[in-house]
Amino acid sequence: MNKKIAIFISGNGSNMDNIIRYFQLHHPKVNFVVFSNKKECKGISKAKNLNIETILISKTELIEGKVGDKLIDLKVDLIVLAGFLLKIPESFVRLFINKIINIHPSLLPKYGGKGMYGRYVHEAVIAKKEPESGITIHYVNEHYDEGGIISQHTVKLEKNETVESLQEKIHQLEMKYFPITIENLLQNEH
Ligand code: GAR
């Protein structure tokens, strides 16, 4: 597989790290470039350790189209949001229809939208005493967490579930399913 993937991050980058390692092992011809809006985030160091090009971007550059132009120059096949917390503007979505995907740590449409990220999602799920939660991998449109769903995977919640224990279960699902979902998407592309 000879493809180029852009991964967008804002923080820890554990999904980014896991995806790149998976492809380096199974599809070494796939190239990556990592975009971050946070200069000092852990994900940037992880990408550098894997010898991946990193590009720092600002919200203004995203809104004004500079980031879109760069992605067109780079001829990327897929844009993966992996813990990227800036809103994706409509102009950007229109440039890359069905080419931007995101991972969200709940079973959308539940617990999505502005402000719902990371541990805030798990806190809300536990507060509502939900019997299950999970992950959603979906296409990105101009509204937070509302694009078409590609796949979902669930976990059961225990009575004594904590934010930390749920976060760990969700993390395991993300590690298992995000790389293979990306692989399937690229393999089914024409
Ligand atoms: C992941 O759990 C991802 O699902 C979540 O942020 C975390 C990023 O972790 N994304 C959202 O909440 C998006 N609304 P990572 O930086 O270690 O990959």
Side-chain angles (χ1 to χ4, degrees), residues 9 13 16-17 20 34 42-54:
I9 59 167
M16 174 217 73
D17 189 70
I20 294 173
V34 170
K42 285 187 188 158
I44 291 272
S45 328
K46 286 181 181 142
K48 287 188 173 152
N49 283 340
L50 291 167
N51 283 322
I52 303 297
E53 181 188 2
T54 58

Side-chain angles (χ1 to χ4, degrees), residues 83-152:
F84 184 68
L85 299 179
L86 290 182
K87 189 161 191 297
I88 300 297
E90 197 177 339
S91 54
F92 188 95
V93 171
R94 269 193 263 116
L95 280 180
F96 305 104
I97 302 277
N98 285 344
K99 284 203 184 300
I100 317 170
I101 66 169
N102 179 44
I103 190 159
H104 186 78
S106 77
L107 297 172
L108 291 173
K110 286 184 159 185
Y111 306 101
K114 195 167 164 49
M116 273 293 172
Y117 62 89
R119 62 179 289 128
Y120 298 114
V121 177
H122 310 315
E123 279 170 12
V125 166
I126 289 172
K128 275 268 177 186
K129 300 197 183 343
E130 293 282 0
E132 61 175 22
S133 188
I135 62 169
T136 304
I137 298 165
H138 64 95
Y139 289 107
V140 172
N141 69 12
E142 62 278 20
H143 305 293
Y144 267 120
D145 303 325
E146 287 184 15
I149 291 174
I150 300 164
S151 67
Q152 292 188 304

